[in-house]
Amino acid sequence: MSVLLGAYIGSVHPGVAQQLQPLGSLYLGLLKMCVLPILLSAISNSIGRLMRSHDARRYVRRIVLIFPLALLIVSGIATSIAAVAGPGRNLTASTLESLGVLINQSGIDLEIALNGPLEVEEGNAIGELVVDIVPENIFSALSEGQTLQVLLFAIIFGVSLGLIRTQSTNALFDILDSVYRSFNQVIHWLTYLLPIGLFSLLAYQLSEIGVEVLVSMVDFVVVMLGISLVIYLLGTLVIWQRSGRSFGQVLTAIKDPTILALATSSSLACLPAAISSLSEDLGFDRQTTDLVTPLTITLCRFGSVAYFGAAALFVVQLYQKEMGLSTLLTILVGAILAGMATSGVTGILTLTMLGLVLDPLRLPLEAVLVLFIAIDPLMDPLRTLGIVHTGMATTAAIAAPQTIVQPQADPIIAPQ
């Protein structure tokens, strides 16, 4: 009901939807408030306990193997579907005219940037990512919401904590566990307000999408919807096969993270729900789930990888550039690097990472950036869903499912 009402208000009464925006921002802010404490406590606790166990080497080996494989699969799916479907090929004259008008009016359309000012900077994004990941002050990183810096600190702190085998560290493990459970309880309370947050967020997003933009970019939007659906179904099958539960139980368990991803467009806000669904609802090993899920969602960024692969193919086809094997390989690898480079980047700034794919192909980012900015309110939820759901599937491929114990029947005693 909240989805239908939000869609109606956002498309028919955009002025009312604009007034609802503070309510949606408030709900999203409450969710984000719990993210960093959960991230810090869950990863430090999980890595510390993992370092004390005998399975540390086995899990590290799985992560090193499955992370790159999953990224290649997602990038390959997006690139293949976009190459076959051809969203940028054979566009009508009216569509090309609409796209040209949008590009020429980029000075106006850049104001569509909803999540912050657009600042395209020159430089090596990957190199800057590596340098900026180290926090000079962890308290400053926490207050500024620097997720990657907090993640690195949590990993280092967890490793060192696991190597110190004293009685005092056991108490610290218990404190971290209590922090995690406390904020997870807050997240549980906030789920009761989800319909209100979903209604206001969806109405505001739809009020910002122009009909002309959707018409001119409809082929790309449809292809991206198809890519997202294929990746979502494959991820669900992986979770189903690994969990050993019925398919209906899996769909019920992944419902909350899916709705939150589409409603909030914030992968970190979905992190607690994703961990809870895997460990509590589907019975995956909690220690591994607490460790791997934040890593996949923060570092792998599967949704962004798929989006950049499809977007790069669209630009290649739009400019009628020859598409050989070298072009496809460049897009395949470039989409992975660009997607991972979006870790810690939010809003429209995420789209500027597309330049990492287009620059080696000698294609202009500035000329087409406004097109992707214009449809970003519709694409951002799909990217978030890809990040969260495929991250859950990757965690399921790494974590060990708990054995479901079947109740034994009472023995039948034969009468004497």
Side-chain angles (χ1 to χ4, degrees), residues 405-409:
V405 180
Q406 301 292 342
Q408 297 181 354

Side-chain angles (χ1 to χ4, degrees), residues 135-377:
E136 296 180 358
N137 187 328
I138 184 57
F139 299 103
S140 176
L142 284 168
S143 63
E144 296 173 2
Q146 299 293 331
T147 309
L148 274 182
Q149 295 183 0
V150 175
L151 178 65
L152 179 64
F153 173 82
I155 293 174
I156 296 174
F157 180 62
V159 170
S160 61
L161 193 62
L163 295 177
I164 301 175
R165 302 178 181 272
T166 61
Q167 194 66 30
S168 58
T169 56
N170 294 332
L172 186 53
F173 280 129
D174 293 336
I175 293 175
L176 290 173
D177 187 64
S178 298
V179 171
Y180 171 80
R181 290 179 180 272
S182 299
F183 280 94
N184 207 30
Q185 181 62 49
V186 176
I187 293 291
H188 177 71
W189 292 335
L190 289 175
T191 55
Y192 291 108
L193 300 177
L194 177 60
I196 300 175
L198 177 60
F199 160 69
S200 54
L201 287 168
L202 184 61
Y204 176 69
Q205 289 177 357
L206 289 179
S207 69
E208 295 292 336
I209 302 176
V211 178
E212 298 80 5
V213 176
L214 287 181
V215 171
S216 60
M217 293 287 287
V218 64
D219 290 343
F220 177 77
V221 171
V222 170
V223 169
M224 195 61 214
L225 285 170
I227 291 172
S228 301
L229 180 61
V230 170
I231 294 175
Y232 186 87
L233 292 177
L234 289 177
T236 303
L237 290 176
V238 171
I239 297 174
W240 173 48
Q241 291 293 327
R242 289 288 297 169
S243 65
R245 308 296 176 96
S246 68
F247 196 71
Q249 288 177 309
V250 172
L251 291 179
T252 302
I254 65 177
K255 176 187 63 176
D256 286 349
T258 298
I259 294 176
L260 279 173
L262 294 174
T264 65
S265 298
S266 173
S267 57
L268 290 178
C270 305
L271 180 58
I275 293 176
S276 176
S277 296
L278 290 173
S279 60
E280 298 178 12
D281 299 335
L282 296 176
F284 285 97
D285 178 67
R286 181 189 162 191
Q287 178 176 307
T288 310
T289 303
D290 288 348
L291 168 64
V292 178
T293 308
L295 288 176
T296 56
I297 290 178
T298 306
L299 294 179
C300 291
R301 315 296 287 178
F302 296 103
S304 298
V305 170
Y307 185 78
F308 288 146
L313 258 297
F314 173 79
V315 177
V316 168
Q317 295 161 359
L318 187 65
Y319 281 88
Q320 300 180 2
K321 181 180 176 63
E322 182 180 353
M323 195 183 312
L325 180 60
S326 60
T327 300
L328 291 176
L329 289 177
T330 300
I331 294 175
L332 181 71
V333 177
I336 295 175
L337 296 177
M340 296 181 67
T342 62
S343 299
V345 179
T346 59
I348 302 300
L349 291 179
T350 300
L351 301 180
T352 63
M353 297 300 173
L354 181 60
L356 293 175
V357 191
L358 297 182
D359 286 346
L361 300 174
R362 301 294 187 268
L363 291 173
L365 170 65
E366 294 78 8
V368 297
L369 186 59
V370 63
L371 303 178
F372 297 110
I373 289 176
I375 62 170
D376 196 61

